[in-house]
Amino acid sequence: MADSGSEEIAVIGNTDLTPSESENNLKNTMVEKGTSLLKMMEISVAEAEKRTGKNAVNMQETYTVYLIETRPVDAASEGTNPVPDSLWRRYSEFELLRNYLLVTYPFSVVPPLPEKRAEFVWHKLSADNMDPDFVERRRVGLENFLLRVASHPDLSSDKIFYSFLTEENGWKETVFETGFQAKADSRLKALNATFRVKNPDKRFAEMKHYGDELQSVISQLLRVRARAADRLYGVYKVHGNYGRVFSEWSAIEKEMGDGLQSAGHHMDAYAASVDDILEEEEHYADQLKEYLFYADALRAVCRKHELTQYELEMAAQDLTSKKQQREELATGTIRTFSLKGMTSKLFGQETPEQREAKLKMLETQIEEGEELVKERNAECEEFVKSAWVDIERFKEQKDHDLREALISYAIMQISMCKKGIQVWNNAKECFSKM
Amino acid sequence: MSASVVDNTVSSGNSSVAIPTDISGQILDLDEDDELEVFSKDTSTTQTDGSSFNASMQTSPASMINQYKFEEEEEDADTKDIFVTVDNPESHVTAIETYITYRVETKTTRSEFDSSEFEVRRRYQDFLWLKGRLEEAHPTLIVHPLPEKFVMKGMVERFNEDFIETRRRALHKFLNKIAEHPIFSSSEDFKIFLTAGSGELTSHKKQGPGFLSRMGETVKAVAAAVRGVRNRPQEFTDMQEYAEAFSQKISSLDKVTQRIVREQKEYLEELKECGPTYALWSQSEQELAEPLKNVAGCVDNCCKETEEQVKHLNDHLIPVLHEYVLCADTLKMRDELDKAEDRLEWANNALKTDWTRWQKVMRTDLRSAFIDTAERNVSYYEKCLAVWESFLQSQRTDAEGNGNVDSS
């Protein structure tokens, strides 16, 4: 398989691409992105294992751990194959890593984790987290996550990420030491609160809307696809009954016997072929799911921008009102209603000393306010700049990946049709011998 | 001895003749009345003089045996001398009832027909009558089944288009099977069915059961007389065992096929939602809009192909399987006959010959139905394959045209 040159040719030209091959194509794409991290090491999630242990409330629990392997790039090319460095991590640690990244890089579209619980399942597919097929797909998804982060221009150079890959013990403590949790809590509160931004940035508003649409349409597609897969499974499996009846019938026939019997075998093969077909399709569904969750990450960035914008507006608003207060105090006119104004009217005017003190305080506050506005403005600008860069990067990645996914879907359909043609041609030959 | 395989539609007016317990003598008497020179005649069915097909003539049993010889050429389309079509259903409303008639068109070169083309209208009742007559006249032979009188599933009413079309096809097959049968096709009842005006048919129907059915009764009486006395020959037992097993298998196949159709239809319902979802998605995208729209189109095309494939199964394989389910029922009901075989030696031979013929026809019919289905399935997959390959082609052209839009 060609991994030099354009990966597109490798995908389109070879219609017999298997899921693992197209996975490799994706990996190669990310490697070729050439972040310094990926230039240095190979990353993989090689295995999954079940463990039992005591949890936080001292109860027995079973959970799965995943083996992260890292290998220096040079070693591979040198021909030697040293034992890779490896460590075990469980899903909750991946979640912790991601939350850290979300808080620390609010302007980045942070790659999503594979789903926590199996959703969009069709009947044969298990919704059980312990099911080996689910675990396997999750392993692949986690590896994908790590590679996505490792190929991201900003995230890949993060030290916490690096130690996640390399330091088994004490990593959790290191993460908590960054104090990101506090930030996370306040951010979370702010994001969940409803607030209205006076001057929303049009681009971000559009992006958020797009994120909503993407999430909605991919959910719908996954639902419809799962139902269709269920039905297709039924169609194929019922043909297995042909196999059984043909076989029984052939026992009572003389001339027709052989033809019927062998036709029956082909019907059995046809019925069995659906398992592989649907397994491949599940891989396609996983690719769609990744972007379903990416949509969420995109919307999160837009929300954070709104928050930043909002905070700026609040600071600006606050500054304006303070300036107004100063003016009122200085000129003695009360243009705006204030409780202080009312009470002073009721209880008598302030003394000039009091007024002087107030003015001084206001001046300080206004100075601070102006600083704050400047800060927040700079934050906002910085955020917009960085976020927009990453959004553009994300858009390109999404267009590329989804187009590849559609192509691989077409390849799958073609493979399914070819199998069908073969089986029915074989069956036809057997029927002719009846 | 002769039994009533003679095609004789003339009733001599004698309504009921008392049948003595020992009728062998009587039967032989009838024989003597026959034109004995028939024994020496060449009685292959390709007679050019119309004499052996005279309505009132009774051919002797021996000659009937010769007629029963399975001749390949009979089945050969080149020597086929009668073509029957059933089409053009029409609804008729009277004060009492509403019913459907079908046009039955006959084209033939047989000399016993007064003309070479006939067109009549018949209703289901008429077909039932014809089948009954043939069964009466030839109780040991296998008459091809008619479509059911009533729809079993109970969900389709009699005048529904699909139902009428399915019935029409089955009636067409029925008449053609009769026409292809060495004995039945020379039945006078058959000829009248194909050629008589409605008034003529009605009056013909009114004539009593006639000689033939009395012969049929005779057979049954003999059967009753010797019941339990004789052993069944192994061959007959084998045949009935086969009939039972065959009936089971063919019923299973019928059920399996119906289940497949149901599952396919449900699959189609879900698939129909996929295309529009891709189309909806394409509206939110820019670069991806074109490939998404393309995929939507592909899925819609595959839906159309699936729809046609299901229709084909429904219209071709299922009717054939159903026909043979009914056939199998007919086979199973011949249990009474075996007792008579010892007495009615040539009837047994006729039965065996007809049985062999039936098996051959069954084999041909089912083989071609399955081959047809397999071919249709291949065609279905080939069409879907083409749909997706053209999508790939378009994406390849795009990539080359844009000069590697994507990374790397």
Side-chain angles (χ1 to χ4, degrees), chain A residues 100-209:
Chain A
Y100 162 79
L101 291 173
L102 277 171
V103 171
T104 318
Y105 302 87
F107 46 82
S108 291
V109 182
V110 177
L113 284 171
E115 54 191 356
K116 204 173 165 90
R117 259 162 282 282
E119 281 180 55
F120 304 108
V121 289
W122 51 282
H123 95 272
K124 205 215 153 205
L125 220 54
S126 171
D128 176 18
N129 279 9
M130 286 293 155
D131 179 79
D133 283 336
F134 178 78
V135 168
E136 172 56 21
R137 289 190 10 253
R138 180 179 265 193
R139 181 195 67 75
V140 172
L142 290 174
E143 185 179 276
N144 192 51
F145 167 74
L146 291 178
L147 288 172
R148 290 273 193 212
V149 175
S151 59
H152 190 285
D154 301 319
L155 304 176
S156 59
S157 41
D158 186 275
K159 296 221 164 47
I160 297 285
F161 175 57
Y162 186 80
S163 56
F164 179 86
L165 296 173
T166 53
E167 282 169 43
E168 182 147 28
N169 300 313
W171 175 78
K172 266 200 182 157
E173 288 71 27
T174 322
V175 182
F176 287 131
E177 271 166 27
T178 63
F180 86 97
Q181 287 249 295
K183 258 209 240 168
D185 290 338
S186 73
R187 285 255 137 180
L188 198 65
K189 265 202 211 120
L191 283 173
N192 287 340
T194 32
F195 52 84
R196 286 206 71 199
V197 176
K198 288 209 189 108
N199 292 316
D201 186 319
K202 230 182 158 185
R203 290 179 305 171
F204 283 92
E206 276 172 15
M207 246 319 112
K208 183 148 158 269
H209 184 64

Side-chain angles (χ1 to χ4, degrees), chain B residues 77-277:
Chain B
D78 291 345
T79 59
K80 200 168 161 191
D81 55 4
I82 181 165
F83 298 84
V84 182
T85 358
V86 176
D87 58 18
N88 199 282
E90 261 176 25
S91 177
H92 294 255
V93 186
T94 70
I96 325 165
E97 55 173 350
T98 309
Y99 59 91
I100 308 274
T101 61
Y102 303 83
R103 186 181 81 118
V104 177
E105 190 197 43
T106 310
K107 291 195 171 111
T108 178
T109 54
R110 288 190 187 169
S111 48
E112 72 274 20
F113 286 81
D114 298 332
S115 155
S116 61
E117 275 190 45
F118 295 91
E119 192 181 305
V120 295
R121 294 210 71 95
R122 296 284 177 251
R123 55 187 291 190
Y124 183 81
Q125 270 179 20
D126 301 329
F127 288 82
L128 262 182
W129 168 84
L130 175 63
K131 177 167 186 266
R133 295 289 287 192
L134 293 173
E135 281 172 339
E136 269 175 31
H138 311 279
T140 59
L141 303 185
I142 304 165
V143 181
H144 201 73
L146 273 178
E148 279 119 333
K149 200 165 164 60
F150 304 109
V151 182
M152 300 308 230
K153 314 289 181 195
M155 40 166 234
V156 174
E157 40 137 308
R158 275 193 307 142
F159 304 104
N160 174 281
E161 247 181 61
D162 282 338
F163 173 73
I164 292 173
E165 175 58 15
T166 310
R167 185 176 259 200
R168 181 199 69 74
R169 286 198 193 152
L171 293 175
H172 175 91
K173 276 204 198 154
F174 169 76
L175 286 185
N176 276 280
K177 285 279 194 265
I178 306 294
E180 287 159 12
H181 195 285
I183 303 295
F184 296 150
S185 77
S186 36
S187 147
E188 182 61 20
D189 287 315
F190 184 50
K191 175 162 168 261
I192 296 207
F193 179 91
L194 293 178
T195 61
S198 49
E200 200 189 322
L201 180 65
T202 318
S203 62
H204 176 79
K205 279 197 205 180
K206 286 212 179 96
Q207 293 166 351
F211 185 66
L212 288 172
S213 73
R214 275 183 279 129
M215 273 300 126
E217 297 302 322
T218 306
V219 172
K220 286 187 189 155
V222 171
V226 299
R227 194 175 300 246
V229 176
R230 305 272 178 195
N231 291 323
R232 294 189 193 194
Q234 188 56 37
E235 271 177 350
F236 192 88
T237 316
D238 290 344
M239 195 168 70
Q240 288 308 99
E241 272 175 19
Y242 173 85
E244 184 62 48
F246 176 77
S247 173
Q248 273 178 23
K249 301 312 154 204
I250 204 76
S251 295
S252 293
L253 284 179
D254 186 36
K255 285 200 197 96
V256 170
T257 312
Q258 296 207 27
R259 176 94 189 271
I260 288 178
V261 167
R262 267 205 307 279
E263 297 280 344
Q264 281 274 51
K265 282 187 176 159
E266 292 188 344
Y267 170 64
L268 190 57
E269 283 310 300
E270 302 300 343
L271 200 62
K272 276 188 179 158
E273 303 207 16
C274 277
T277 309

